[in-house]
Amino acid sequence: MLIKDMRELHPAVLPLAAEWLRRCAARLYPVLVVETRRTWEVMEAYWARGRKPLSEVNALYIKAGLAPITAEENLAKVTNSEPPASWPFYGCAIAAV
């Protein structure tokens, strides 16, 4: 399951993220926060993508509460960090579009 709640960010990151979002809004840049912290299961699924067979990756995606991916999507890696060695795992990053 993707965590999108800004309160899930590390306390040191939250004011920086809030200021960034405020500046985007002031410039009328549309921003959608899609992730604020990654669970172990999500990190495990993302790390497997592009490294393991599609059936294993999709089993991990389903376990993490994510939608299964296609064979084409499994050609690309999402992260170079194994859990828990990543900023998103600790709530120190935002994924936004």
Side-chain angles (χ1 to χ4, degrees), residues 6 9 13-23 94:
M6 294 289 286
L9 289 171
V13 175
L14 185 55
L16 300 169
E19 176 62 15
W20 175 72
L21 289 170
R22 187 195 66 72
R23 288 181 182 200
I94 293 177

Side-chain angles (χ1 to χ4, degrees), residues 20-21 24-25 28-34 94-97:
W20 175 72
L21 289 170
C24 288
L28 302 178
Y29 297 151
V31 174
L32 174 64
V33 174
V34 294
I94 293 177
V97 293

Side-chain angles (χ1 to χ4, degrees), residues 53-93:
L54 182 61
S55 60
E56 288 182 45
V57 172
N58 277 332
L60 290 168
Y61 265 64
I62 291 167
K63 178 182 172 189
L66 302 170
I69 63 170
T70 65
E72 186 175 323
E73 291 171 315
N74 196 39
L75 296 175
K77 294 177 183 175
V78 173
T79 181
N80 289 320
S81 301
E82 286 189 69
S86 78
W87 292 112
F89 183 76
Y90 296 101
C92 294

